[in-house]
Amino acid sequence: MRKCVLAMLIAISACSGPAADPASVARKALIARWEAQSARVTIIRDDWGIPHIYGKTDADAVFGMMFAQAEDDFNRIEMNYLSSLGRVAEAEGEAAVYQDLRMKLFIDPAVIQTQFAASPAWLQTLATAWADGLNFYLHMHPEVKPKVLTAFEPWMALTFSEGSIGGDIERVSVKDLEAFYGTPRGAAPTAIVEHPTSRESLDPDQEPRGSNGFAVAPQNTANKHALLLINPHTSFFFREEAQMVSEEGLNAYGAATWGQFFIYQGFNANAGWMHTSSGADVIDEYADSVTQSAAGYVYRVGADEKSVMSRTVTVNYASAAGPAAKTFTVYSTHRGPVVRQENGKWISVVLMQEP
C-alpha cells in the first residue's frame, strides 16, 4: 500500500524582503489555514489507488476528499463546475454560449450566494472545507493550469448538488433557446421544430427501462452479510471511488461525482444507498399567451394579468481576439424561466434546480 500524509506534501518557501502588501499578508494567512487543516488529514491510497481519507472532523475529511479528487482528475472537477456555473464558454468558446445561458436561467450565482449565507453553519463549514481542499491542491501544484477556475469559493458547492448523469435541465433544448433569445423581440422568430419533450414524457415506454439496484438481506446470503448491488449506468470514470472517515463518526465508502464532497452511492456500517431513475413528475412546462403592453410583456393567469419578469444575463466566452461577452434580456413567469416559443405561446419551465 502507498501512504501519503497530506501535511507532508507542504513545501512552502520562506519569504524575505520588505513588508508585504495587505493582499500578500492575507494570502499567507490563507495558506497557513490550509496547512493547519492539512495537518489533520491523512490520505492512504490502497493497491488500486483508491483514496481512504481520514480527518479529525467531518470538515477535515471533506478537505482531504477534495484534495484527493483533484489529484486524480482536476479537469473533470473544473468542467463540472464550469457547467453548473454557466461558464463553459469561457473555456470552449462561443459555441457553448447558449449552453451557458440555459444554466444561467436556472442557476443565478447571486441567488446561490444569498442561499449560502443563509444556510446552516455546519453546511457552510463543509463547503468552506470543500473550497479550501481544491484551492490548497492548486497552491501545491502550480504546474496545474485551470481552464478558468483559478480559485474556488464555498458557495459554488451549492450549484452542483445533483450528482446523477444529467439533470432535468438537459430537457431544455439549446437550439430552441437560441431561436428564442437569439432573435430580437418583435422580429419573426427562427423556425422551431415542434418540441416533443412534454408529450414524449407522457407516452408509455415501448419497453420497460430504467436503472436498477438490488439489496439482499443477510439471511439470504451465504456468509450472512448484507449485499448491495449498485448499477450507476455511467461511464467508467464518471465518479471517484473513495472512503471518508472522521473522528466525529463519519465512515462512508463508495462513489462521489467529481467535484462533490459526499459519497453519492455507497455504504457505511449500518446502511447502503444508491439511486435509480423513476417516473416521478419532476419537470413541468406551461404555455402562456404573451402580449406587449405599455408596461412590457404580460400574460394571464385565470382572471389576473401578470407581468413577465425580465433580467439581464451576461455570458462570457473565449474568442480568437480574447475574452468576449454576449448580453441577453431573459424572461420568466411566476412559474419559471421562458425557454422557447411554440405555436405562438411562450413556454416556461419548472424543474428541480434548488440546491
Side-chain angles (χ1 to χ4, degrees):
M1 300 179 73
R2 296 188 293 114
K3 179 175 180 179
C4 66
V5 180
L6 194 54
M8 294 173 62
L9 294 173
I10 302 170
I12 311 289
S13 300
C15 296
S16 60
D21 60 76
S24 177
V25 172
R27 176 68 178 175
K28 287 181 180 179
L30 191 59
I31 293 171
R33 191 182 83 202
W34 296 338
E35 291 175 350
Q37 188 155 28
S38 72
R40 302 192 297 270
V41 177
T42 299
I43 298 173
I44 299 175
R45 289 189 179 271
D46 62 26
D47 294 340
W48 294 271
I50 296 168
H52 301 256
I53 300 105
Y54 300 85
K56 295 289 185 182
T57 65
D58 290 351
D60 294 337
V62 167
F63 181 96
M65 167 76 144
M66 299 319 303
F67 191 97
Q69 277 193 37
E71 284 185 313
D72 290 342
D73 204 329
F74 176 80
N75 178 66
R76 284 178 184 261
I77 295 173
E78 184 183 17
M79 288 308 300
N80 279 346
Y81 280 92
L82 290 182
S83 177
S84 70
L85 291 164
R87 299 181 63 181
V88 173
E90 293 179 48
E92 298 186 355
E94 189 174 5
V97 163
Y98 286 94
Q99 175 187 336
D100 285 349
L101 177 63
R102 178 177 64 179
M103 184 60 73
K104 288 178 180 290
L105 290 179
F106 296 93
I107 301 294
D108 183 345
V111 172
I112 295 291
Q113 289 173 42
T114 299
Q115 291 175 329
F116 177 78
S119 63
W122 65 263
L123 180 56
Q124 293 192 33
T125 298
L126 296 182
T128 298
W130 168 85
D132 285 351
L134 292 171
N135 290 330
F136 186 57
Y137 169 80
L138 290 175
H139 170 69
M140 296 299 298
H141 294 274
E143 75 281 4
V144 174
K145 305 300 181 185
K147 292 179 174 66
V148 176
L149 298 177
T150 57
F152 291 80
E153 299 178 49
W155 63 269
M156 292 179 179
L158 297 189
T159 67
F160 185 37
S161 57
E162 195 280 330
S164 191
I165 298 173
D168 295 313
I169 193 171
E170 293 185 359
R171 298 195 197 180
V172 175
S173 165
V174 172
K175 289 186 178 298
D176 288 350
L177 202 67
E178 181 176 2
F180 186 80
Y181 287 111
T183 304
R185 294 273 65 82
T190 304
I192 303 173
V193 176
E194 188 175 14
H195 200 279
T197 301
S198 299
R199 288 171 292 286
E200 280 190 350
S201 66
L202 295 175
D203 291 337
D205 285 335
Q206 296 302 308
E207 295 182 18
R209 62 176 179 168
S211 56
N212 47 57
F214 300 90
V216 183
Q219 62 265 31
N220 294 323
T221 67
N223 61 7
K224 302 307 177 185
H225 291 133
L227 296 176
L228 177 66
L229 171 67
I230 299 173
N231 186 355
H233 291 275
T234 66
S235 58
F236 191 76
F237 292 107
F238 187 83
R239 295 192 175 98
E240 164 92 321
E241 187 174 348
Q243 181 183 16
M244 300 175 71
V245 182
S246 87
E247 294 180 11
E248 292 183 325
L250 171 67
N251 188 355
Y253 185 103
T257 307
W258 294 106
Q260 295 184 331
F261 61 76
F262 50 87
I263 299 298
Y264 186 72
Q265 302 166 302
F267 63 93
N268 59 23
N270 303 306
W273 56 93
M274 55 156 305
H275 77 289
T276 65
S277 56
S278 78
D281 180 13
V282 295
I283 182 168
D284 290 301
E285 295 183 335
Y286 295 85
D288 289 298
S289 296
V290 176
T291 58
Q292 191 164 18
S293 70
Y297 293 108
V298 296
Y299 63 106
R300 301 196 72 82
V301 179
D304 298 326
E305 185 176 83
K306 290 181 173 290
S307 296
V308 175
M309 295 171 281
S310 66
R311 62 186 175 95
T312 299
V313 170
T314 298
V315 178
N316 298 311
Y317 65 95
S319 73
K326 288 189 176 183
T327 299
F328 303 88
T329 299
V330 299
Y331 302 97
S332 61
T333 68
H334 68 288
R335 303 179 183 99
V338 176
V339 298
R340 72 179 189 277
Q341 184 172 324
E342 183 177 320
N343 298 326
K345 295 186 176 183
W346 288 16
I347 310 298
S348 59
V349 170
V350 183
L351 54 77
M352 297 172 62
Q353 79 268 21
E354 294 298 323

